[in-house]
């Protein structure tokens, strides 16, 4: 069924790849891009968080960095978690609203994380572990709900690809990747984020505040195995995604 977004009738399908830190999302995006070159991939803007610049800065000052917010939030989570969530959610919202360079009537767009995991995984967890105060959490939810309701179908997703692996596997991969900002990340934090992902996407027990998000189909992909060098495993995962996307029906007409 076609869906209407903005003024055009489109048959596009928008999905988000979700999963714990270092589970393999970016690696999987590259694998999907190789398998489906016509799909549009939008990666998580981590580099923006590592090098915060003024939004509408002119050419002269555009290279000025105002700091590495990713490092700051890991070093002083009480001080910077709210600021980080506002910036990460804004960058995700911009990414999800960004029109495609060329939009054929039928297209597939894959985002790496979403404005939904920003809230239902990270911000929710930061409140629960005390790095967001109650008033910060209330304010975050207020503008998050207002913005997403205002943008409606333009930020709606047709499906989630949940890359699932144990916190221990993610920690191993996190250490292997050796991102400087993450050197103090402990297993406990990955266990908390794993639990948030499981409640949201596996048991679906997390309270959801958006009608069109509640029943979005989720494809759970077990990525504990090393698929980087295993073409059979790559084929298995890609085939699962291909079937899942084919069976997605774009959201019903409003
Ligand atoms: N299936 C896998 N098996 C083994 N290592 C993996 C796998 N997927 C990713 N990696 C490695 O784990 C690290 C994190 O992967 P990455 O794709 O950056 O994760 P994410 O984007 O989820 O943070 C990288 O060093 C990557 O090479
Ligand atoms: N506090 C938050 N941290 C976040 C959020 N989204 C991502 N991140 C961190 C986690 C990693 O250190 C890094 C990139 O994530 P990967 O899973 O791609 O490694 O950014 C967030 O919303 N809040």
């Amino acid at each position: 069924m076609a869906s209407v977004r903005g003024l055009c009738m489109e048959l596009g399908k928008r999905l988000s790849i979700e999963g714990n830190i270092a589970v393999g999302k970016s690696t999987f995006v590259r694998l999907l891009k190789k398998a489906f070159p016509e799909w549009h991939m939008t990666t998580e803007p981590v580099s923006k968080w590592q090098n915060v610049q003024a939004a509408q800065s002119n050419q002269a000052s555009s290279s000025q960095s105002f700091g590495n917010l990713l490092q700051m939030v890991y070093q002083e989570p009480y001080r910077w978690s709210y600021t980080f969530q506002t910036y990460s959610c804004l960058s995700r919202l911009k990414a999800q609203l960004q029109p495609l360079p060329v939009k054929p009537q039928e297209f597939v767009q894959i985002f790496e994380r979403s404005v939904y995991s920003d809230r239902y995984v990270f911000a929710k967890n930061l409140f629960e572990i005390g790095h967001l105060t109650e008033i910060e959490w209330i304010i975050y939810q207020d503008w998050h709900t207002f913005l997403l309701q205002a943008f409606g179908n333009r930020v709606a997703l047709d499906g989630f690809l949940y890359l699932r692996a144990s916190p221990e596997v993610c920690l191993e991969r996190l250490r292997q990747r050796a991102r400087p900002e993450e050197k103090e990340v402990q297993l406990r934090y990955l266990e908390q984020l794993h639990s948030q992902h499981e409640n949201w996407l596996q048991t679906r027990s997390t309270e959801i505040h958006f009608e069109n998000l509640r029943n979005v189909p989720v494809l759970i992909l077990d990525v504990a195995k090393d698929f980087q060098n295993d073409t059979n495993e790559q084929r298995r995962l890609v085939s699962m995604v291909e079937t899942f996307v084919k069976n997605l029906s774009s959201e019903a007409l409003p």
Side-chain angles (χ1 to χ4, degrees), residues 9 19 35 39 41 46 55-56 63 76 79 100 124 135 228:
M9 182 74 75
W39 288 10
M41 305 298 178
V46 184
Q56 275 80 29
S63 58
E76 297 179 81
R79 170 63 186 84
L100 292 177
K124 178 175 180 288
I135 192 169
Q228 289 187 107

Side-chain angles (χ1 to χ4, degrees), residues 20-27 112 173 176-177 223 225-228:
N20 210 340
I21 300 173
V23 74
K25 297 178 297 298
S26 308
T27 304
E112 191 181 346
R173 293 175 183 174
Q176 173 195 319
R177 179 176 63 190
V223 292
K225 275 181 77 173
D226 181 348
F227 62 71
Q228 289 187 107

Side-chain angles (χ1 to χ4, degrees), residues 173-198:
R173 293 175 183 174
L174 184 148
R175 296 281 184 253
Q176 173 195 319
R177 179 176 63 190
R179 194 179 267 155
E181 298 89 347
E182 299 167 350
K183 61 182 182 302
E184 303 299 330
V185 170
Q186 300 302 313
L187 180 61
R188 182 82 195 101
Y189 186 50
L190 298 181
E191 287 170 340
Q192 291 160 355
L193 293 175
H194 178 71
S195 165
Q196 299 293 354
H197 279 95
E198 290 289 285

Side-chain angles (χ1 to χ4, degrees), residues 36-125:
F36 310 108
E38 71 284 7
W39 288 10
H40 301 272
M41 305 298 178
T42 303
T43 53
E44 195 172 42
V46 184
S47 58
K48 273 190 177 179
W49 310 336
Q50 294 169 309
N51 177 17
V52 176
Q53 299 187 337
Q56 275 80 29
S57 50
N58 58 39
Q59 195 55 37
S61 62
S62 63
S63 58
Q64 182 183 355
S65 173
F66 289 88
N68 181 341
L69 188 55
L70 184 65
Q71 187 174 62
M72 291 156 71
V73 76
Y74 275 121
Q75 286 178 343
E76 297 179 81
Y78 298 93
R79 170 63 186 84
W80 294 110
S81 285
Y82 183 77
T83 305
F84 189 97
Q85 293 313 128
T86 61
Y87 195 56
S88 60
C89 198
L90 175 62
S91 56
R92 290 177 163 127
L93 186 60
K94 287 178 178 178
Q96 288 184 228
L97 292 171
Q98 183 76 26
L100 292 177
V102 176
K103 191 189 287 187
Q105 206 188 13
E106 287 198 33
F107 64 86
V108 175
Q109 186 171 16
I110 306 275
F111 296 97
E112 191 181 346
R113 290 220 180 95
S114 62
V115 290
Y116 304 105
S117 34
D118 197 278
R119 172 169 176 170
Y120 292 114
V121 173
F122 286 97
K124 178 175 180 288
N125 190 56

